[in-house]
Amino acid sequence: MRVEIWSDINCPWCYIGKARFERALERFPHREAVEVVHRSFELDPRAPHEARPVVPLIAAKYGLGLEQAEAAEQRIADNAEAEGLAYLRSGRDAANSFDMHRLLHFAAEHGRQAELLDALYRANFAEERSAFAPGRLTELAVEAGLDGAEAARVLADPDAYAEAVREDEATASAMGATGVPFFVLDRRLGVSGAQPAETFTAALEQAWESRTVVPLVTVGGDSVGGDSGGGNSGGADTGGACGPEGCEVPQH
Amino acid sequence: MRVEIWSDINCPWCYIGKARFERALERFPHREAVEVVHRSFELDPRAPHEARPVVPLIAAKYGLGLEQAEAAEQRIADNAEAEGLAYLRSGRDAANSFDMHRLLHFAAEHGRQAELLDALYRANFAEERSAFAPGRLTELAVEAGLDGAEAARVLADPDAYAEAVREDEATASAMGATGVPFFVLDRRLGVSGAQPAETFTAALEQAWESRTVVPLVTVGGDSVGGDSGGGNSGGADTGGACGPEGCEVPQH
């Protein structure tokens, strides 16, 4: 079973929702058969690359005074801490997250996506030092077990993994997602928002129970199963196959 | 887009079909958005763990004389070489492949599945030295970029990744696969057997064109998209989310 989680690194509910989902996954009896994949979703693709303090951004976005914006940030921090997550209560900043998403796709190719995602969230929500400081993403890649020089090359080339990020975003949009976190189980079941762990448990159970397989359309053959017949039918031109009884052997 | 390929390492048509698929993928314009995953399929789960020469096995399976079995193996070798694949024309052996599949799942967790799969095929079909010799799988894991000590631990524990192998096999069976290679594109389109590259090209194009998204069933919320509203609706209990207009902020 596959769970895809669309998130932005700048999104506190993604940070919190991930912890809630993981709590549900930890006690899910079939957790070993569950593959979790990060998908990219930029809340603000036009955000500048220079980091800005978060509280004035919140104030501007909601038309709040600085004090109210500060209070809103504290309430989000309360929610994070209730999940056992570290949260920097003052001095958080934010900037464009496109490079982070590109780097997460690079990390996926090297089996380090989960490690990098954790490092990015921690850097963004829990550490004094800005995740957007020069060279910081390369350091975080190294912490996640990636090769620093390779990561730096990916970051320096704005096209690297850009299509993968856009493709994730197009898929989210096609599924009707307008916000994150957005959880999709086996491309059949959706959970929107940082729901309580119990909701994720229910979703995992429902997806597991209903994991009947969609009938396949077959291309280039008569039947879906491989021809597992006598061993001399078919051949290379019709798509050789091996079955429990042996392999097809071309006669020519 | 995701292409899952059910294969057995002992299956020559899987080795050949993989090369044909890769030829199609190489010239597919959206290849960067295609993720390829190996799935486990044991042709003979009860095969002994001790390696045996392949030609007598073929003879016994098809009720052929040794000379005819030898000729069948040579015809498969011709097909492999026509794809540019190295193939050991005499002295090949075979044994139980369960450990190889377990190791491939371990490799997937470390982003090294494609490398290990290539190493296993090469060891099984193209090298004089048996892939089933003691310690050989650990060596191949190291060649694929995995940690040798960790790989040896996985191999020594018969339960490690066993559920993942069984789950792959149950899924193949639920989709009606009786032989391999078996290619499944986005769990919607199936290609059975080592079809010509042109067939894989057609399948990739068809899957890409038709990658409309299945409507999601939503769990724990009213709508599929996150509530991207004003910034003070909802909250933690109803699944906080962030949208383009900002994040929900709990009021309590």
Side-chain angles (χ1 to χ4, degrees):
Chain A
M1 201 160 86
R2 184 168 64 147
V3 180
E4 296 165 286
I5 310 178
W6 272 265
S7 305
D8 200 351
I9 312 303
N10 285 329
C11 153
W13 287 117
C14 298
Y15 181 46
I16 296 166
K18 179 174 185 288
R20 291 180 181 170
F21 170 77
E22 283 171 356
R23 196 141 48 82
L25 185 61
E26 234 165 68
R27 55 193 187 207
F28 184 59
H30 311 287
R31 63 186 168 278
E32 279 189 22
V34 176
E35 178 200 3
V36 179
V37 183
H38 162 79
R39 295 289 180 206
S40 304
F41 190 107
E42 295 165 276
L43 286 166
D44 186 1
R46 285 169 306 279
H49 285 268
E50 296 70 42
R52 295 171 298 170
V54 146
V55 169
L57 286 176
I58 296 174
K61 211 156 222 174
Y62 299 143
L64 300 175
L66 280 181
E67 215 167 292
Q68 290 168 289
E70 173 63 34
E73 170 74 352
Q74 297 308 322
R75 284 196 297 274
I76 301 233
D78 293 342
N79 274 270
E81 289 177 0
E83 290 302 321
L85 296 168
Y87 202 98
L88 187 67
R89 285 195 172 257
S90 73
R92 243 182 18 92
D93 62 9
N96 194 294
S97 61
F98 190 57
D99 286 347
M100 290 175 167
H101 289 294
R102 293 196 299 109
L103 199 62
L104 282 161
H105 280 281
F106 163 70
E109 276 194 5
H110 295 271
R112 287 285 180 272
Q113 191 180 57
E115 289 82 355
L116 181 63
L117 187 59
D118 282 339
L120 291 174
Y121 275 132
R122 199 190 56 236
N124 201 26
F125 288 111
E127 289 178 5
E128 293 275 348
R129 193 170 157 204
S130 173
F132 303 96
R136 187 75 186 116
L137 288 186
T138 303
E139 285 176 14
L140 292 166
V142 171
E143 280 177 36
L146 292 160
D147 181 85
E150 268 189 81
R153 265 196 302 278
V154 167
L155 289 166
D157 172 7
D159 291 335
Y161 301 94
E163 191 186 343
V165 176
R166 299 297 180 220
E167 179 66 20
D168 277 359
E169 294 178 335
T171 305
S173 168
M175 291 206 245
T178 58
V180 282
F182 184 63
F183 300 76
V184 177
L185 292 77
D186 270 351
R187 292 273 165 121
R188 289 181 297 109
L189 206 70
V191 179
S192 184
Q195 301 287 340
E198 295 66 36
T199 302
F200 290 119
T201 296
L204 285 166
E205 283 166 359
Q206 185 178 332
W208 185 264
E209 294 309 322
S210 66
R211 81 204 136 97
T212 52
V213 170
V214 179
L216 297 176
V217 174
T218 311
V219 173
D222 307 333
S223 68
V224 162
D227 180 350
S228 59
N232 50 15
S233 66
D237 294 328
T238 56
C242 301
E245 304 307 317
C247 298
E248 289 166 13
V249 178
Q251 294 305 299
H252 44 86
Chain B
M1 202 159 84
R2 184 169 65 148
V3 180
E4 296 164 285
I5 311 178
W6 272 263
S7 305
D8 199 352
I9 312 303
N10 284 329
C11 154
W13 287 117
C14 299
Y15 181 47
I16 296 166
K18 179 174 185 289
R20 292 179 181 171
F21 170 77
E22 283 170 356
R23 196 141 48 82
L25 185 61
E26 236 165 68
R27 56 193 186 207
F28 184 59
H30 311 287
R31 62 185 169 278
E32 279 189 22
V34 177
E35 177 201 4
V36 179
V37 184
H38 162 81
R39 295 289 179 206
S40 304
F41 191 106
E42 295 165 277
L43 287 166
D44 185 2
R46 285 169 305 279
H49 285 268
E50 296 71 41
R52 295 170 299 169
V54 147
V55 170
L57 286 176
I58 295 174
K61 212 156 222 174
Y62 298 144
L64 300 175
L66 280 181
E67 217 166 291
Q68 289 168 290
E70 173 63 35
E73 170 75 352
Q74 296 308 321
R75 284 196 297 274
I76 300 233
D78 293 342
N79 274 271
E81 289 176 1
E83 290 303 320
L85 296 169
Y87 203 98
L88 186 68
R89 285 194 173 259
S90 72
R92 248 187 7 97
D93 62 11
N96 194 293
S97 62
F98 190 57
D99 286 347
M100 290 176 167
H101 290 294
R102 293 197 298 109
L103 199 62
L104 282 161
H105 279 281
F106 163 71
E109 275 194 5
H110 295 271
R112 287 286 181 272
Q113 190 180 57
E115 289 82 355
L116 181 63
L117 187 59
D118 282 339
L120 291 174
Y121 275 133
R122 200 189 56 236
N124 200 27
F125 288 111
E127 288 178 6
E128 292 274 350
R129 195 171 157 205
S130 173
F132 303 97
R136 187 76 187 115
L137 289 186
T138 303
E139 285 176 14
L140 292 167
V142 171
E143 279 177 38
L146 292 160
D147 181 84
E150 266 190 81
R153 264 196 302 278
V154 168
L155 289 166
D157 173 6
D159 290 335
Y161 301 94
E163 191 186 341
V165 176
R166 300 295 180 221
E167 180 65 20
D168 278 359
E169 294 179 335
T171 305
S173 167
M175 291 206 245
T178 58
V180 281
F182 185 63
F183 301 76
V184 177
L185 293 77
D186 271 351
R187 291 276 165 117
R188 289 181 296 110
L189 207 70
V191 179
S192 184
Q195 300 287 340
E198 295 66 35
T199 302
F200 290 118
T201 297
L204 285 165
E205 283 166 359
Q206 185 177 332
W208 185 264
E209 294 310 322
S210 66
R211 81 203 136 97
T212 51
V213 170
V214 179
L216 296 177
V217 174
T218 310
V219 174
D222 307 332
S223 69
V224 163
D227 180 350
S228 58
N232 49 16
S233 65
D237 295 327
T238 57
C242 300
E245 304 306 318
C247 297
E248 289 166 14
V249 178
Q251 293 305 298
H252 44 86

